[in-house]
Each structure stands twice: as structure tokens, then as C-alpha cells.
């Protein structure tokens, strides 16, 4: 009963390095999303997808890229890491039945990223 | 644009006492409202939601929340707090008819609940 799986759990990068945070879900959810969590700021949406081949920007998309080639996977790429991207990143998925979807989000355990 | 406010950064309550965690929201239409809980070093877990119907909704672990449209509030409550309820609580809102924003779930900044033995 895996749910939403994120890897790695911890990562330290140097400024300018690139990396990919992986997210996979086994619930056949159409909707997937990435959030970052910073102290005192709650969760902020980075990117989201409502199905394979469909992605869109959230509240704080700058510095991040995503793609959705399969229903199961939704990787988040940092092309050139900056200290401001030090954060805890959460992937979340939901069943999706359209604009009026009422489904709740299922979250992964998080990936803690430090950029030096 | 949709938004959520959780006016208290921290709430302290004695074990066995009732607890309330406050949430107010702002949307242009009828909201979908959610409460999530986060334990240390874990992801968020769904507690309950209001979509339509009865203003009092019941959720996991004995929690409930009351939707008040006139006050635009969705406060989380529990009749008798447990030490194990100590965690970070997030309120979230979605406006399903707000165009591009209808896909987005907007979270509050979170309220840390501490239940004192």
C-alpha cells in the first residue's frame, strides 16, 4: 500500500547544481502536484498536472520544471539550484473527475532540500 | 483570488479540554474546504472536508468542523483533546468555479497545536 512515494528524502546541493525530485503514485490518480513548505508560509503550489501530458504553473513556479509522461510519475526538476530553494518539497495526488472534483490530496513523506 | 487565514500560529490546550483551531477563507464563489494534519517529519494527512450540505462535518480521529458562510469560517474542533493530537494543522480552500485557480488548493500557514498533559 505505497500511496505517494518521493525520493530522495534528503539532498544537499551546491548553488548552480541541478537535480530531479522523483514522485510516483500507485493509486491511478490523474491529478498530481508539487508544493514547497517553508516555516511560517504554509504550503505553496509550484506546479500541477491533471493528466499525462498536461502540466501548469502554480503560485511559485520560477526555477522549477515538470513533466508528466505517465499517470504514475511527476518529477520536479531544479535546473540551477539557488539557496532560496532550500525547503521541504511535497508531492501530492488526487483522483480527478473534472473542475468540480471534490477529492482530497494524498501526500508523500517529503523531500528535504538544502542548497548551499 | 482565493485565500485562507489561520489567525493563530500556536494553540495550547490541556488534555481533556475542548480544542478549536480557527480558519477563515476568501473565495468568489462557493468554497470547497479541507483540514489536514502534519505530524513531525511526515507528509500531510487528510482530516475532513466540506463540499456541500450539512454545515457540521465529522472527520478522522474525532475531529469535526463547522462551516459558517456568513462569517466565512471553517473552524476545526474536538470535544476532548489528546496529547497525541499535538501536531501542525492546515486549513485549505478551493474554488471549483474560479477558472484556472479552480485546480489549485490554497493552504493556510498552519497552526501548531500543543496538548499539555
Amino acid at each position: 500500500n505505497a500511496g505517494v512515494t518521493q525520493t530522495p528524502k534528503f539532498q544537499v546541493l551546491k548553488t548552480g547544481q541541478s537535480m530531479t525530485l522523483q514522485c510516483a503514485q500507485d493509486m491511478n490518480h490523474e491529478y498530481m502536484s508539487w508544493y514547497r513548505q517553508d516555516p511560517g508560509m504554509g504550503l505553496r503550489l509550484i506546479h500541477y498536472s491533471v493528466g499525462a501530458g498536461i502540466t501548469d504553473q502554480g503560485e511559485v513556479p520560477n526555477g522549477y520544471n515538470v513533466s508528466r509522461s505517465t499517470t504514475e510519475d511527476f518529477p520536479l526538476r531544479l535546473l540551477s539550484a539557488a539557496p532560496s530553494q532550500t525547503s521541504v518539497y511535497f508531492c501530492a495526488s488526487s483522483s480527478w473527475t473534472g473542475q468540480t472534483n471534490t477529492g482530497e490530496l494524498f501526500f508523500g513523506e517529503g523531500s528535504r532540500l538544502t542548497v548551499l | 483570488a482565493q485565500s485562507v487565514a489561520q489567525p493563530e500560529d500556536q494553540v495550547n490546550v490541556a488534555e481533556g479540554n475542548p480544542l478549536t483551531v480557527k480558519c477563515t477563507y476568501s473565495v468568489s464563489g462557493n468554497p470547497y474546504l479541507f483540514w489536514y494534519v502534519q505530524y513531525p517529519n511526515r507528509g500531510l494527512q487528510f482530516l475532513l472536508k466540506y463540499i456541500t450540505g450539512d454545515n457540521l462535518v465529522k472527520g478522522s480521529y474525532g475531529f469535526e468542523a463547522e462551516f459558517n458562510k456568513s462569517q466565512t469560517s471553517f473552524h476545526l474542533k474536538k470535544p476532548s483533546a489528546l496529547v497525541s493530537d499535538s501536531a501542525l494543522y492546515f486549513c485549505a480552500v478551493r474554488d471549483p468555479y474560479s477558472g484556472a485557480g479552480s485546480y489549485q488548493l490554497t493552504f493556510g500557514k498552519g497552526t501548531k497545536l500543543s496538548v499539555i498533559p
Side-chain angles (χ1 to χ4, degrees), chain A residues 31 35 37 40-43 45 48 50 57-59 90 96 99-105 107-109 112, chain B residues 32 34 36 38 41-44 46 49 51 88 90 94 96-100 102-105 107-109:
Chain A
Y31 181 88
Y35 287 85
Q37 183 179 25
M41 302 192 72
L43 280 81
L45 182 65
Y48 66 92
V50 296
Q57 297 179 353
E59 181 184 356
F90 288 98
W96 186 257
Q99 188 172 348
T100 56
N101 178 65
T102 61
E104 63 268 25
L105 288 173
F107 283 81
E109 294 286 290
R112 187 176 296 272
Chain B
Y32 292 173
F34 301 80
Y36 288 83
Q38 185 181 32
N41 300 313
R42 302 297 298 275
L44 278 71
F46 169 77
K49 65 182 176 183
I51 304 301
L88 191 57
F90 290 95
R94 191 165 82 84
Y97 298 102
S98 63
S102 66
Y103 297 100
Q104 302 185 18
L105 192 61
F107 285 85
K109 295 183 179 182

Side-chain angles (χ1 to χ4, degrees), chain A residues 81-107:
Chain A
S84 61
Q85 294 178 304
T86 294
S87 187
V88 181
Y89 292 85
F90 288 98
C91 180
S93 72
S94 172
S95 60
W96 186 257
T97 55
Q99 188 172 348
T100 56
N101 178 65
T102 61
E104 63 268 25
L105 288 173
F106 291 80
F107 283 81

Side-chain angles (χ1 to χ4, degrees), chain A residues 22-88:
Chain A
Q22 301 290 346
C23 175
Q25 53 89 10
D26 61 359
M27 297 173 282
N28 202 31
H29 285 169
E30 292 294 327
Y31 181 88
M32 296 186 74
S33 56
W34 278 101
Y35 287 85
R36 59 176 290 173
Q37 183 179 25
D38 301 292
M41 302 192 72
L43 280 81
R44 293 180 292 170
L45 182 65
I46 304 171
H47 285 284
Y48 66 92
S49 168
V50 296
I54 306 170
T55 63
D56 206 346
Q57 297 179 353
E59 181 184 356
V60 288
N62 292 340
Y64 307 94
N65 280 351
V66 292
S67 60
R68 185 92 180 269
S69 56
T70 67
T71 299
E72 294 78 18
D73 301 301
F74 191 45
L76 179 71
R77 297 183 183 85
L78 285 72
L79 299 180
S80 179
S84 61
Q85 294 178 304
T86 294
S87 187
V88 181

